[in-house]
Amino acid sequence: MRLSIALLSIAVLLTPTAATAHAVEPPPPAVRDFGNGPERNEEAAGVSAETLRAPTEEPYGYSHERDRGYPRQNQLPIPGENPADASIKLGLVPYHGIAPRLNDLQRRSKRVSAEIIGRSYQGRDLYLVTVTAPESREEAREQSRLRDRIQHDPAAAARDRGLPRKYKAPLFVNNNIHGNEWEGTDAALRVIEELATSTDPEVADLLSRTRLYFNVTANPDGRVNGVRVNGAGFDLNRDFVTASQSEVRAMRQVMIDTQPVTMIDLHGYVNGTLIEPTTPPHGANYEYDLFIRNTYANGLGMEAAIKALGHTPEADGVYPPQIPFRDSDEGWDDWPPIFAPQYAPFHGAVAAHTVEIPLRVNGSDYINLPVDELRRRSGINTAIAAAAIRATYGFVRARHDQLIADQIEVFRRGAAGEPSRTVPLGIVPGFGSEDVYNTTFPRAYVIPAGGGQRSATAAARLVDHLIANDVEVGQAKRSFRANGRTYLAGSYVVDMRQPKRGLANVMLEAGTDISPRVDAMYDISGWSHALLWGATVDGVTSLQAQAEPVKAAAPTGSVPKGHGPLALKVIDAKEVMALNALLAQGVAVTWANDGTAIIPATARQAAHTVSDRYGVAFTPAGTAAGTPRGIAAGAPAGTPVGAPSGTPTGTLAGTATGTPLSQVRIAAATSADELFTLRELGFPVTPISTATLNSGFDWSGTDVLFVSSGLSYTALNPTAKAALDTFLASGGVVTRGSTGAAFNTAAGLLTATSVAGRGDANGVARVVSSTGPVGSGSPGYSFVYSPRWFTGLGPEVTVEQAYATEGPLVSGHWRPNPNGTGGQEAAKGQAAVVSGRDERGAAVVLFGTEPMFRNHPKGLFPQVARALYWSASVTGAAVTTP
Ligand SMILES: [Zn+2]
């Protein structure tokens, strides 16, 4: 079926909610719920975010050491009993009940090992259970050697015909990544117990030839709280290219360390049970011929196992399973590697599935249905999830040697640098030209050192991110030439002849504008660490560099010798963090609207500390200010489109003049991901909403109001409106998106008409920046989701950034609305970010782009910071020097 994102709300209404189940109703269309998508414009992080605990650094107790056999049993600490755990109402295991059960199983069986692999945002332990036949230390070592060989010497592994017989096939079962899709956890515990205690010789055979890894609950915060997201408000199943959350970093590490040949990710709720493989478009960086054969085969196996349970619409309201690849045309794709099963293939999974179990127990059903009905549903869901797990381990047992051989082939093609393969039509029934997606791999990516690099700090972050994803990165010991230019010694090289080249490419390629090929996409369609993370990255077609592998990026922080004041150009998120750290200490910073902070000579020691901590480079004030380091080199589209305005003190132009700046305190009506990012950048943020303002809010501690979600000016009561109007005479305002634009209009701030692009449009867009206080120093690309632009600008309004007249979409999906409006054509050359002073005094910046989306586009965060510094400094909101 065809689905568009505009239809989502209708689809949700179609979901059966009747307590008198069992009635024969048509199954609802297959849709995935959004997480941190367009609904971010309505649902503010709000008050709940104030109660969040600070992020905890996860301890890594995870032991894939070579020198231990199996079992590797650990007495898991038992969390305090929580009677409010949302699982209890459903008759499912509460989070605090998991560790006792695993401890008990470890006591009862030598087949079960439980480990803590990290912590959730709110500090709960994450459990990995390994189920396998006991192994001696030598056997475990041999398994590690074979795994290394498969990844790092795949050509030799492919020649070793005996290898698959000697190697235990790893299978990864991921559960409960959406906290209010509970039953995967319960099914996993059931299957672990069965396998641990079974006397069936087939189980003994299975466990002698496989290792089964269970992430018992990937999202314990959400499980306890009864919500989709983790404690930070993030949809973890959208975070795999960014890995902003500790839970995702733990899953990533499991995939790297265990190298599963197959993985399933248990979700809910779609009736009938939905089983991947998916509709097109298919990610172009997978070895899709290997992937689709295995994924489809296991999908059919899971379908048969679920059908064998005998549920029917008439008997219990359960519809037969559906497989989007076979049963739908569009709308459930495997294009972006933001989902767990779309990320695992890059670490060698040749079958990977989202499985959506059928009967809804969350949302309004959780609140409204009788407990008996909820438990009836959760019981059926658990049985179906368990059947999916059993079918999958049966599949791994049956195809053991072939799955291992196929994984070896994935890595072999990567290491050999073979071109992207065109999958033959009909490789599985129904595989047609609409399913064929290819890419072109460059010979290497170079992340330049020296003047060719837009930001050495951003380059270091990107290198560390690639390494954390198990991508091999080298550093050139001498200068070299490629694509007709010279790269200095110290440049980083990502050689695309490597086993995980698919993962390297999916992060570093610009991506594709797939608008012409499909109408409906499930989630984001564009992303690019090369274009959005602030560093210069070049794809090159030849490579003669001598590069030595690195385990981490080289340090980038520096402070020039001498005794004078220092300048810090704020073009990267790390520079924002460093500046905010200095402001938090009360350093008397001067802010110039070209985006440079001047640090007095008296704060040189503090500058040394933050330089070291954040890897930022200070320059002597008076020389570097006004000449940003290599801006032009990394940003091809850097032509000014408007003159700066509202800069009462002028720019620095080589002298330490500007506006005094102290810490910028923010009141934010914003989505959870933006709140997370603002706090990560070091801004003190108080979450607000319409409700908090209506119940009385003291504006005296606020310098800038940020509005993107959950605040309606027209819904404020007269007292709240009056208090806000008083603030607007002297404060700053930064807004984003539809909620922000509506606030601007209702509050009578800037003269600008906000125009909406198509609501589901998203991706990487070419932009052209001005030399204004926000645009100055911006990259030539931005990220959009439900893009907007501004027309009918008043004389007080400056264009900080505009959509390019070429494109503007580089990669992603952006079609016009059916009536022809809202497309790329309409956006060409239009203002995407504007600034200006309201006649009452407020300094206002409006974003039509998405510079903090899901914490991903790290190279765009400084635009938001510059907007905040500018609006605070020119209004005098944050000038009181402590
Ligand atoms: Zn889900």
Side-chain angles (χ1 to χ4, degrees):
M1 76 210 74
R2 284 181 174 256
L3 294 167
S4 77
I5 274 141
L7 288 176
L8 276 177
S9 53
I10 299 166
V12 170
L13 293 176
L14 292 174
T15 305
T17 52
T20 54
H22 312 235
V24 182
E25 302 167 62
V31 290
R32 277 193 282 218
D33 295 327
F34 268 111
N36 304 129
E39 88 290 354
R40 297 153 67 252
N41 293 320
E42 281 78 46
E43 294 169 19
V47 181
S48 65
E50 284 181 294
T51 63
L52 295 177
R53 288 173 49 170
T56 45
E57 255 330 296
E58 58 266 39
Y60 245 82
Y62 193 24
S63 59
H64 282 281
E65 315 137 42
R66 278 130 210 280
D67 286 338
R68 289 182 69 191
Y70 277 92
R72 298 174 177 181
Q73 298 182 325
N74 298 286
Q75 187 73 18
L76 301 173
I78 297 172
E81 195 165 321
N82 179 3
D85 188 308
S87 323
I88 295 170
K89 184 178 182 183
L90 300 172
L92 300 172
V93 63
Y95 174 72
H96 61 255
I98 296 172
R101 284 185 59 174
L102 295 178
N103 285 341
D104 176 56
L105 281 168
Q106 290 184 103
R107 267 194 300 274
R108 288 160 57 198
S109 173
K110 294 269 178 284
R111 293 169 171 174
V112 180
S113 306
E115 297 169 84
I116 295 169
I117 54 167
R119 281 200 187 138
S120 71
Y121 185 81
Q122 291 177 333
R124 297 185 175 91
D125 290 337
L126 303 169
Y127 308 124
L128 183 76
V129 170
T130 307
V131 182
T132 195
E135 293 172 25
S136 68
R137 183 193 280 197
E138 184 43 46
E139 286 166 335
R141 247 189 231 152
E142 177 64 5
Q143 173 84 359
S144 293
R145 271 195 294 267
L146 293 174
R147 185 174 57 234
D148 278 357
R149 195 152 170 234
I150 289 168
Q151 181 185 348
H152 295 294
D153 195 359
R159 286 192 300 271
D160 180 355
R161 296 297 164 98
L163 187 151
R165 280 195 301 282
K166 292 182 283 189
Y167 183 62
K168 281 182 161 178
L171 162 63
F172 180 44
V173 180
N174 200 41
N175 304 291
N176 200 198
I177 189 170
H178 291 142
N180 61 355
E181 299 164 10
W182 286 268
E183 295 92 337
T185 297
D186 302 81
L189 289 168
R190 180 180 298 178
V191 171
I192 292 166
E193 180 157 11
E194 287 168 7
L195 295 173
T197 55
S198 172
T199 53
D200 185 340
E202 291 198 358
V203 169
D205 176 67
L206 171 78
L207 299 183
S208 69
R209 298 169 63 226
T210 56
R211 281 189 190 167
L212 293 86
Y213 300 100
F214 296 85
N215 190 15
V216 180
T217 167
N219 182 2
D221 296 351
R223 184 176 190 81
V224 169
N225 301 329
V227 295
R228 178 184 183 86
V229 294
N230 76 342
F234 272 66
D235 185 333
L236 302 176
N237 205 35
R238 302 291 184 273
D239 193 40
F240 278 86
V241 290
T242 310
S244 69
Q245 302 302 303
S246 58
E247 296 91 336
V248 171
R249 293 193 290 274
M251 284 180 265
R252 176 177 74 185
Q253 200 60 43
V254 169
M255 292 184 202
I256 292 170
D257 290 347
T258 69
Q259 209 164 292
V261 293
T262 298
M263 77 88 68
I264 61 172
D265 195 30
L266 288 160
H267 289 252
Y269 298 92
V270 176
N271 192 4
T273 304
L274 190 142
I275 303 168
E276 289 182 354
T278 71
T279 67
H282 303 300
N285 285 286
Y286 306 121
E287 301 299 334
Y288 212 77
D289 54 336
L290 304 169
F291 181 82
I292 189 64
R293 269 199 310 245
N294 293 307
T295 304
Y296 197 22
N298 190 40
L300 293 170
M302 284 191 273
E303 178 183 50
I306 291 165
K307 279 184 167 173
L309 296 176
H311 299 290
T312 65
E314 296 78 11
D316 44 28
V318 178
Y319 285 83
Q322 46 182 314
I323 297 177
F325 171 78
R326 182 189 64 195
D327 302 332
S328 306
D329 291 334
E330 283 191 0
W332 193 291
D333 56 84
D334 55 13
W335 180 252
I338 56 177
F339 313 112
Q342 275 65 48
Y343 177 77
F346 296 116
H347 296 294
V350 289
H353 311 259
T354 298
V355 175
E356 300 268 353
I357 53 180
L359 298 178
R360 185 170 292 273
V361 293
N362 61 10
S364 58
D365 288 346
Y366 184 89
I367 298 162
N368 298 327
L369 291 182
V371 168
D372 283 355
E373 170 60 13
L374 286 171
R375 293 185 175 189
R376 185 189 74 84
R377 291 185 179 195
S378 66
I380 291 172
N381 287 338
T382 304
I384 287 176
I389 298 171
R390 290 189 206 102
T392 300
Y393 72 60
F395 170 78
V396 173
R397 181 169 170 244
R399 284 210 186 191
H400 181 275
D401 292 7
Q402 188 60 49
L403 291 169
I404 294 165
D406 286 353
Q407 181 180 80
I408 292 169
E409 175 65 5
V410 168
F411 293 143
R412 190 201 63 75
R413 290 179 194 175
E418 292 187 358
S420 174
R421 290 208 184 183
T422 301
V423 182
L425 303 187
I427 185 168
V428 294
F431 195 96
S433 56
E434 73 280 7
D435 290 303
V436 177
Y437 285 81
N438 287 97
T439 191
T440 305
F441 299 109
R443 178 63 187 82
Y445 288 97
V446 180
I447 304 170
Q453 178 52 256
R454 178 179 183 274
S455 165
T457 309
R461 175 183 47 232
L462 180 59
V463 165
D464 287 338
H465 184 72
L466 291 166
I467 292 168
N469 280 279
D470 206 26
V471 169
E472 295 164 7
V473 183
Q475 194 170 24
K477 293 295 146 198
R478 289 189 201 89
S479 68
F480 62 97
R481 285 187 69 76
N483 281 23
R485 60 168 289 190
T486 299
Y487 290 98
L488 299 181
S491 294
Y492 295 103
V493 176
V494 182
D495 188 339
M496 291 299 285
R497 291 183 187 163
Q498 62 169 298
K500 295 186 178 175
R501 59 97 183 256
L503 185 50
N505 204 54
V506 85
M507 290 181 171
L508 296 178
E509 70 178 348
T512 312
D513 178 357
I514 53 162
S515 314
R517 287 198 64 180
V518 284
D519 187 52
M521 290 293 293
Y522 190 71
D523 201 277
I524 60 162
S525 311
W527 61 91
S528 173
H529 299 66
L531 300 184
L532 297 177
W533 277 37
T536 304
V537 181
D538 297 335
V540 298
T541 52
S542 66
L543 182 66
Q544 265 104 39
Q546 297 282 317
E548 284 182 21
V550 291
K551 289 202 165 70
T556 50
S558 64
V559 177
K561 289 197 163 43
H563 304 284
L566 298 165
L568 182 65
K569 183 81 189 166
V570 178
I571 61 163
D572 187 74
K574 291 289 176 85
E575 284 132 10
V576 178
M577 294 178 194
L579 177 54
N580 280 340
L582 294 173
L583 292 170
Q585 295 167 46
V587 170
V589 171
T590 304
W591 179 252
N593 283 332
D594 69 344
T596 307
I598 303 301
I599 318 302
T602 50
R604 289 186 69 98
Q605 192 49 49
H608 270 285
T609 305
V610 298
S611 156
D612 209 40
R613 171 151 185 214
Y614 299 104
V616 300
F618 290 85
T619 52
T623 58
T627 26
R629 214 170 355 121
I631 291 282
T639 327
V641 291
S645 78
T647 51
T649 53
T651 53
L652 277 178
T655 57
T657 62
T659 314
L661 181 71
S662 58
Q663 200 175 35
V664 179
R665 299 160 302 174
I666 301 167
T670 185
S671 58
D673 54 340
E674 292 175 312
L675 176 63
F676 179 91
T677 299
L678 289 169
R679 285 181 165 165
E680 182 185 60
L681 292 173
F683 290 103
V685 187
T686 306
I688 59 161
S689 64
T690 309
T692 47
L693 296 193
N694 278 341
S695 53
F697 183 73
D698 175 8
W699 285 95
S700 65
T702 298
D703 304 307
V704 182
L705 167 64
F706 187 96
V707 184
S708 63
S709 188
L711 177 56
S712 165
Y713 184 84
T714 52
L716 293 176
N717 63 37
T719 315
K721 219 174 256 185
L724 175 55
D725 286 339
T726 304
F727 168 79
L728 292 176
S730 62
V733 180
V734 177
T735 84
R736 180 198 58 76
S738 57
T739 299
F743 179 86
N744 176 67
T745 304
L749 296 170
L750 299 187
T751 308
T753 304
S754 165
V755 182
R758 185 166 131 163
D760 63 350
N762 70 81
V764 181
R766 275 186 201 87
V767 290
V768 180
S769 299
S770 77
T771 53
V774 182
S776 173
S778 295
Y781 302 92
S782 192
F783 185 82
V784 294
Y785 200 137
S786 303
R788 306 188 80 83
W789 50 93
F790 304 98
T791 61
L793 304 179
E796 81 281 15
V797 180
T798 296
V799 177
E800 296 282 349
Q801 193 169 73
Y803 295 111
T805 51
E806 179 202 346
L809 197 71
V810 177
S811 55
H813 190 265
W814 186 351
R815 281 188 172 190
N817 294 307
N819 67 5
T821 62
Q824 297 187 42
E825 204 57 40
K828 283 182 178 176
Q830 301 284 359
V833 183
V834 298
S835 66
R837 298 291 296 273
D838 175 55
E839 70 276 11
R840 281 164 290 184
V844 184
V845 178
L846 311 178
F847 282 91
T849 57
E850 277 271 10
M852 297 191 285
F853 187 74
R854 294 179 185 161
N855 196 241
H856 180 69
K858 300 189 188 295
L860 310 182
F861 298 171
Q863 280 179 32
V864 179
R866 289 195 301 267
L868 294 164
Y869 295 140
W870 171 74
S871 62
S873 62
V874 300
T875 55
V879 299
T880 41
T881 310

